[in-house]
Amino acid sequence: MSGLKRSWVSSANGAGCPFPLNNLPYGVFSTGDQEPRCGVAIGDMILDMAAVQARGLIDLGAPDLFDMPYWNDVMELGPKGWTALRARLLQILAEGAPEQAELAPCLVPMAEAELHMPIAVSEFTDFYAGRHHATNVGTMFRGAENALPPNWLHIPIGYNGRASTVVVSGTDVIRPNGQIKPPGADRPVFGPCARLDFELEVGAIVGGNTEMGQMLSVADADAMIFGYVLLNDWSARDIQAWEYQPLGPFQAKAFATTISPWIVSAAALAPFRTPTPTREVPLLPYLAEPGPTLFDIDLSVAIQPKGAPRATTICRTNYREMYYSAAQQLAHHASSGCAMNVGDLLGSGTVSGPERENRGSMLEISWGGKEPLTLETGESRSFLEDGDTVTLSGAAQGRGYTIGFGACSGTIRPARNFDQRGDHP
Ligand code: CA
């Protein structure tokens, strides 16, 4: 693992900076009344890629790649284009680069920019690949003896979610309404979710296309992943408990999914590759891991109630805890012949670890509401309250540098009632 790569953008060389030259994550930003466009984080600045291309400082063989509100066009270039892009950025942003004087006007202070969704999400699929999470949830719902469903050790379980409500960090989350069947009641009621939860996940962004009927090896799938973001799969546990049989979650997950604003490329994470855990039962050959396909990324969750002076960290875990990697999930996704597209987003599943402090959802932390958590600022929580801000953080720790993701944050707003349902078209 090589050390810090030094940049002429001096803030990128600071200890603990989440965006050193080693990282170079991809986002979409705007300033003032300008349209959102592609940018690269470096230190406390954003490199305006549209301006860089306009000055002729980067040439990937296609015009207007970056004067766009998403990175999908860059993803369409494929892995060769991604490698060329990263190589050129490493060159022109490195300490001593002759392009410094020409490039400096293309830098925008991050503090002055608004961040937007980095990709146009084609479709969103969420998996259930954390063994500790699946065991905890299964124990609560079915008892310790039957915690893992019989298929779990063989297949990366997932469901097709909604792309329409994937939002960038900083977007408020409106408490969902839904059908809820209170314990002991004969019939369901319709109303605001009372057991609102987060799920700490990592999102993988698919950067290639497959045709209907085309299968992928795990190695091919791994090479198709453009990068990774933090992902909060907001969940309405009371709605979920009533609706989930037999087809899995529906409205309980459809109301919001938040992602962090910066796509950390698979190349930036290469030094942090780590294998999936030892198999309890062998996987079918099409899911076999060709080399390490997980990543060593420290993850945490903090909650800050409205008016509280500070946030409390309530979970610390690591992405290497997953039983299946994103590459295995993508290979499985395509295995039936399902066509995959540039901009598809795959949620890892909740990344819980073995101990209570490693649990990546309130459902697990409060053990279904039976063991409420006390925050450092005194508030008690079994599930999320209106005004709570939930922030996911992630960092891979290199020797002398950090690969950060930027915050994945959302604040809960009160549920709407039918008088506030809005005008129908
Ligand atoms: Ca999930």
Side-chain angles (χ1 to χ4, degrees), residues 29 38-42 44-48 106-110 113-115 262:
F29 76 102
C38 293
V40 173
I42 178 79
D44 58 7
M45 309 294 277
I46 299 172
L47 185 65
D48 181 338
C106 303
L107 289 172
V108 175
M110 203 178 280
E114 183 183 351
L115 297 175
W262 296 107

Side-chain angles (χ1 to χ4, degrees), residues 358-416:
N358 311 135
R359 294 175 186 167
S361 67
M362 289 304 296
L363 179 69
E364 295 165 88
I365 292 169
S366 74
W367 208 252
K370 292 188 185 128
E371 301 170 18
L373 172 81
T374 303
L375 304 179
E376 286 165 10
T377 43
E379 299 86 348
S380 174
R381 286 288 181 280
S382 292
F383 292 95
L384 301 173
E385 304 284 337
D386 291 346
D388 285 356
T389 298
V390 179
T391 301
L392 316 185
S393 301
Q397 297 296 342
R399 217 186 303 150
Y401 69 97
T402 302
I403 300 287
F405 283 74
C408 177
S409 193
T411 300
I412 308 300
R413 299 297 174 208
R416 293 188 180 155

